[in-house]
Amino acid sequence: MDVTYAVPKRLGKNPEDYPDAKSQPHVQVALSIKSRGGTSRAGDVIPYIFCLGPGGDTSKNAQADRARHPDEVRKAENNLQIGILFYFTFSIVTDCSV
């Protein structure tokens, strides 16, 4: 699976210290890493990829809920689909606003 869509973002504080963690993709991924026994702390760069929800849905879950670590996407063996439309739309909006 192509994980070239990974977005790196540095944690400004420990993931559990974010009051708005639900709306921040890198924090959601960091918390997921910790829940599986890994470590994530202030200063770590957390890569994430936006995936589609169940059945290819993009509207029922918040964007941050669909963020996954690249390793998780690689291991999913087609159970997770990258949200290509998000990246395409983001790229066009960014290019047009310059």
Side-chain angles (χ1 to χ4, degrees), residues 36-65:
R36 292 190 311 267
T39 60
S40 296
R41 59 184 175 270
D44 287 353
V45 175
I46 306 295
Y48 61 90
I49 297 172
F50 288 120
C51 294
L52 297 177
D57 188 29
T58 60
S59 62
K60 291 186 181 175
N61 297 336
Q63 190 71 32
D65 291 340

Side-chain angles (χ1 to χ4, degrees), residues 53-96:
D57 188 29
T58 60
S59 62
K60 291 186 181 175
N61 297 336
Q63 190 71 32
D65 291 340
R66 294 193 310 269
R68 300 288 183 265
H69 191 278
D71 290 343
E72 187 179 356
V73 175
R74 276 188 208 100
K75 291 177 186 173
E77 297 179 8
N78 296 327
N79 290 335
L80 290 174
Q81 295 178 7
I82 296 174
I84 304 273
L85 184 58
F86 167 81
Y87 291 96
F88 181 70
T89 303
F90 179 75
S91 174
I92 288 175
V93 169
T94 301
D95 290 346
C96 290

